[in-house]
């Protein structure tokens, strides 16, 4: 027999899965007497849920959109926020949640008064998601990792590096970080005796959950986002760039995403330093920042900038000559 509160939640969930329920059938599903069902329906109404009853041979119960949003669900702003989040989740980077997110969205919109449904319809017609970027990970895998982090349980899994080479890892998970394109697990690697980041989409199979472990202080003072940012922008690349940007730290930290590089303030407060991978595109990206800068390392980046500057000057000279 379900407890009263659990039964109410179950009843509310069932009412939102159909447009109409016969009373005896609903009571049977809940394994309660029809009198108990009627009391539970009255209780939902007292809480503000718009449950309508009809009598006769085809009588029963229906969950209808009310004139006011039920007070114990969400207020208007919260309802819109959840609706947007669910709509985004149907086309996001987490696999396996598209259908549940859509079902939840339908339930939510059924309970909305007209004024909110009109706003949601407007959002649906104007918010157009782009195609997915980055790999998709399964919701069940994220749930397993999150539970292991919360309950401090060791994990064992097979992991592929960037060249497709698989190794077996045993880790003590600390947290999960999403950069906007990829998901990462931050964990203490037991065999290497150090903190590591693992791209979740490179886990070959579902991890095996092991024994409890004693938690240790996390990297970077527990700032997992900063640790992942530095790990993916600095550590994996053989050539590292150090660039002094002649602009305040606050401005550059706002403009440069953590996934692109690590920005630190300098003593004078009017300049900051960027550390990131010295990729071929970095020279053009630095010029696009539209601030003065000084390359400290590597020499190859200085050469790329010199070549790019000469090319830009030639193009500008050509355009000037044609214009005259």
């Amino acid at each position: 027999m379900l407890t009263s509160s659990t039964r109410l939640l179950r009843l509310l969930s069932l009412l939102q899965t159909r447009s109409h329920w016969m009373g005896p059938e609903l009571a049977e599903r809940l394994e309660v007497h029809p009198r108990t069902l009627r009391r539970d329906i009255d209780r939902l109404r007292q809480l503000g849920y718009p449950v309508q009853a009809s009598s006769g041979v085809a009588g029963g119960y229906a969950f209808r959109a009310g004139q006011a949003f039920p007070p114990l669900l969400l207020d208007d702003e919260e309802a819109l926020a959840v609706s947007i989040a669910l709509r985004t989740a149907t086309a996001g980077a987490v696999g396996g949640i598209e259908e549940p997110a859509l079902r939840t969205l339908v339930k939510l919109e059924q309970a909305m008064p007209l004024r909110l449904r009109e706003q949601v319809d407007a959002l649906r017609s104007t918010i157009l998601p782009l195609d997915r970027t980055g790999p998709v990970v399964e919701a069940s895998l994220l749930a397993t990792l999150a539970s292991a982090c919360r309950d401090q349980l060791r994990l064992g899994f097979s992991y592929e590096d960037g060249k497709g080479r698989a190794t077996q890892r045993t880790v003590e998970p600390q947290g999960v970080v999403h950069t906007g394109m990829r998901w990462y697990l931050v964990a203490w690697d037991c065999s290497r005796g150090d903190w590591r980041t693992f791209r979740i989409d490179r886990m070959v199979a579902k991890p095996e959950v092991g024994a409890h472990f004693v938690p240790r202080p996390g990297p970077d003072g527990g700032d997992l986002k900063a640790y992942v940012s530095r790990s993916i922008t600095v550590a994996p690349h053989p050539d590292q760039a150090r660039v002094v940007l002649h602009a305040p730290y606050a401005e550059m930290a706002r403009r440069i995403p953590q996934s692109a590089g690590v920005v630190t303030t300098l003593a004078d407060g009017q300049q900051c330093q960027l550390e990131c991978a010295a990729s071929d595109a970095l020279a053009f990206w630095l010029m696009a920042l539209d601030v003065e800068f000084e390359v400290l390392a590597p020499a190859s980046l200085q050469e790329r900038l010199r070549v790019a500057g000469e090319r830009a000057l030639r193009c500008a000279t050509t355009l000037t000559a044609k214009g005259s």
Side-chain angles (χ1 to χ4, degrees):
M1 180 68 69
L2 298 175
T3 64
S4 177
S5 58
T6 303
R7 193 174 64 245
L8 285 177
L9 291 174
R10 175 64 174 157
L11 171 58
L12 183 59
S13 178
L14 288 173
L15 286 170
Q16 294 179 94
T17 60
R18 289 190 195 174
S19 60
H20 184 268
W21 281 88
M22 300 288 288
E25 182 185 11
L26 191 55
E28 182 179 356
R29 287 289 295 272
L30 292 169
E31 301 182 28
V32 298
H33 194 276
R35 286 196 301 270
T36 302
L37 174 62
R38 288 194 291 271
R39 287 196 297 268
D40 287 344
I41 292 291
D42 289 338
R43 178 59 178 156
L44 287 179
R45 290 170 177 160
Q46 293 171 10
L47 294 173
Y49 294 98
V51 183
Q52 297 181 358
S54 58
S55 57
V57 177
Y61 301 98
F63 190 82
R64 306 296 187 195
Q67 299 301 312
F69 212 66
L72 293 186
L73 283 177
L74 304 166
D75 62 28
D76 289 7
E77 291 183 353
E78 291 169 339
L80 287 175
V82 172
S83 179
I84 293 171
L86 289 170
R87 180 68 58 182
T88 304
T90 62
V94 180
I97 66 168
E98 298 91 342
E99 185 179 344
L102 188 58
R103 290 201 308 267
T104 305
L105 184 61
V106 170
K107 289 181 180 180
L108 178 63
E109 292 182 1
Q110 284 179 344
M112 286 182 176
L114 180 61
R115 66 178 187 280
L116 283 185
R117 291 204 304 275
E118 290 177 344
Q119 293 183 52
V120 170
D121 288 340
L123 289 169
R124 182 188 298 113
S125 63
T126 55
I127 298 178
L128 303 175
L130 294 175
D131 293 336
R132 290 172 176 170
T133 58
V136 175
V137 300
E138 292 299 316
S140 59
L141 175 56
L142 287 177
T144 297
L145 299 178
S147 297
C149 293
R150 179 197 62 197
D151 299 334
Q152 298 163 0
L153 298 172
R154 282 199 177 101
L155 293 172
F157 53 87
S158 179
Y159 184 76
E160 287 187 352
D161 62 15
K163 297 181 179 180
R165 298 171 299 195
T167 56
Q168 289 299 127
R169 303 296 185 97
T170 301
V171 303
E172 297 175 355
Q174 182 79 5
V176 174
V177 175
H178 187 223
T179 65
M181 292 184 63
R182 294 184 176 89
W183 291 88
Y184 291 87
L185 173 69
V186 179
W188 178 266
D189 193 316
C190 298
S191 60
R192 289 160 177 77
D194 199 2
W195 292 103
R196 290 288 190 272
T197 59
F198 300 93
R199 271 181 52 174
I200 295 177
D201 60 286
R202 289 181 177 170
M203 292 182 179
V204 177
K206 186 176 181 179
E208 296 182 2
V209 180
H212 286 274
F213 63 87
V214 178
R216 65 186 78 229
D220 280 18
D223 189 346
L224 300 188
K225 291 193 297 183
Y227 175 73
V228 170
S229 175
R230 189 173 65 255
S231 298
I232 64 178
T233 59
V234 177
H237 305 281
D239 290 331
Q240 297 302 314
R242 290 188 298 114
V243 182
V244 175
L245 303 174
H246 295 202
Y249 166 79
E251 177 187 348
M252 291 294 97
R254 185 177 64 254
R255 294 177 56 189
I256 300 174
Q258 288 187 334
S259 58
V262 178
V263 181
T264 54
T265 186
L266 296 179
D268 63 0
Q270 297 305 307
Q271 300 181 96
C272 55
Q273 180 171 289
L274 169 66
E275 294 182 73
C276 62
S279 64
D280 292 337
L282 180 58
F284 305 98
W285 186 71
L286 286 171
M287 290 188 289
L289 283 175
D290 198 25
V291 299
E292 298 294 319
F293 60 87
E294 176 187 356
V295 175
L296 303 181
S300 58
L301 177 57
Q302 297 172 340
E303 178 61 18
R304 289 194 192 102
L305 284 164
R306 184 189 65 78
V307 172
E310 291 177 352
R311 182 183 304 119
L313 183 59
R314 286 196 303 271
C315 292
T317 302
T318 302
L319 289 173
T320 301
K322 288 182 178 180
S324 60

